[in-house]
Amino acid sequence: MTSDITLFVNPTAGRGRGAHAAQPAARALRDAGFAVRTVLGHDAADALRRARDAVAEGTGALVAVGGDGMISLALQALAGTRTPLGVIAAGTGNDFARTLGLPVRDPAAAARVTAEIIKETGPRAIDLGRVTSGTRTRWYGTVLASGFDSRVNDRGNRMRIPAGRFKYDLAILAELAGFRPVPYRLTLDDGHVVETDATLVAVGNGSSYGGGMRICADARTDDGLLDVTVVGDCDRRTLIKVLPRVYKGTHLDHPKVTTYRVRSLTLDAPDTTGYADGEPLGPLPLTVECAPGALRVLAPRQGPATSLR
């Protein structure tokens, strides 16, 4: 790995925290002996083009500074390449960083961890989710949401205040007023078809979304599988009781919750949009696959993940 590092910065992440986070992160990386350059984009398409250019030019690592939306852009540039991803989490939810055990909203600490891993242990491989719809393909690292949770995500993304997890708490309350379960059709990788009325279906490569909601609590990023959480036909009273348990991951044993572990699946439901890493994917149906070892990350080792040089 070269000593040149590219900071991939979203200056608007976390209501401006991304811009503030870039400076101490860059300083800590330079203090560790790395040459650092910064890449910003005028918009998402321009930022992605610049990130891909940095990878093609042979940068030693692409270090994303921002939230899960910035991570999502970085994944589109890095999936399937040898260039590792570093994370300086400075967004609202920061679920990707939480999943990997990285510091959140402490850019200097996150940069020091990144530098140490580059020098000592090297990157490790993790899985990614790969979503296809027609000819379009998109990669994600945490959770694909559909149903009630995607509607919450949509509302939360439109809200300016409050910040962090509380934004999604308020969005949940707002969506509860009018939401009804919808008929889903899930086609699992063994050919089994599940038809059910569901409040939501979440497909996890990682365990959490929405700033720490552990919807797929048992998901691992290095097992070659996706964890599917189906919350069935709930009335409002039941849903209100179940939702607080999501933050601890204790909802999985509720009788209205069913889980599956698959390598791929297709999910379909009328008038339902999919989100992944907090970003809209488009309407269902969507086909989701686990891509084992598709990304190299600069993150602490967890469990049996393999260190790469």
Side-chain angles (χ1 to χ4, degrees):
M1 185 183 298
T2 73
S3 61
D4 296 328
I5 290 178
T6 301
L7 280 187
F8 185 43
V9 181
N10 178 2
T12 65
R15 299 180 355 187
R17 283 192 297 270
H20 294 297
Q23 294 178 1
R27 186 164 52 249
L29 289 168
R30 290 189 178 109
D31 288 346
F34 294 97
V36 179
R37 67 165 177 157
T38 300
V39 167
L40 299 91
H42 300 298
D43 52 32
D46 183 52
L48 178 56
R49 180 185 63 78
R50 291 170 184 262
R52 284 175 169 157
D53 287 346
V55 172
E57 291 164 6
T59 186
L62 188 72
V63 180
V65 183
D68 289 326
M70 199 61 173
I71 301 300
S72 178
L73 272 182
L75 296 184
Q76 312 316 308
L78 293 174
T81 76
R82 299 285 297 172
T83 306
L85 171 68
V87 178
I88 310 296
T92 299
N94 301 311
D95 286 285
F96 190 80
R98 296 174 198 274
T99 295
L100 296 181
L102 291 167
V104 171
R105 295 184 187 170
D106 189 341
R112 287 192 294 269
V113 168
T114 298
E116 181 180 355
I117 290 170
I118 293 174
K119 291 181 174 181
E120 300 296 332
T121 62
R124 67 186 184 95
I126 67 168
D127 308 334
L128 290 178
R130 181 171 53 216
V131 185
T132 56
S133 176
T135 59
R136 293 179 301 148
T137 298
R138 190 165 183 90
W139 303 88
Y140 74 95
T142 57
V143 177
L144 185 156
S146 70
F148 178 78
D149 48 2
S150 62
R151 288 172 169 82
V152 168
N153 210 328
D154 187 39
R155 182 179 289 271
N157 287 345
R158 297 195 305 268
M159 295 170 65
R160 291 182 175 270
I161 56 174
R165 160 180 162 178
F166 299 106
K167 173 189 293 189
Y168 293 96
D169 291 341
L170 288 179
I172 286 169
L173 292 176
E175 287 296 326
L176 276 171
F179 182 76
R180 298 289 183 275
V182 295
Y184 274 84
R185 178 183 175 90
L186 308 180
T187 305
L188 309 184
D189 53 9
D190 61 359
H192 181 56
V193 175
V194 178
E195 294 186 336
T196 184
D197 287 346
T199 301
L200 66 87
V201 176
V203 185
N205 180 58
S207 59
S208 73
Y209 59 11
M213 299 177 71
R214 301 184 66 231
I215 187 68
C216 299
D218 295 333
R220 291 178 56 92
T221 59
D222 58 5
D223 63 356
L225 297 170
L226 300 167
D227 282 37
V228 184
T229 300
V230 180
V231 179
D233 186 354
C234 294
D235 57 33
R236 292 181 199 171
R237 180 177 298 179
T238 301
L239 193 56
I240 288 170
K241 290 180 179 179
V242 171
L243 284 174
R245 297 174 58 178
V246 175
Y247 288 103
K248 293 185 177 180
T250 58
H251 61 292
L252 296 182
D253 61 2
H254 191 280
K256 286 289 186 179
V257 176
T258 306
T259 61
Y260 304 93
R261 189 163 282 162
V262 300
R263 289 180 174 81
S264 65
L265 78 157
T266 298
L267 61 163
D268 193 8
D271 303 319
T272 301
T273 299
Y275 273 74
D277 292 337
E279 300 298 308
L281 298 169
L284 272 56
L286 296 170
T287 297
V288 193
E289 303 170 87
C290 180
L295 180 71
R296 293 157 60 91
V297 291
L298 299 170
R301 294 190 62 184
Q302 297 173 334
T306 302
S307 178
L308 299 173
R309 281 292 186 182

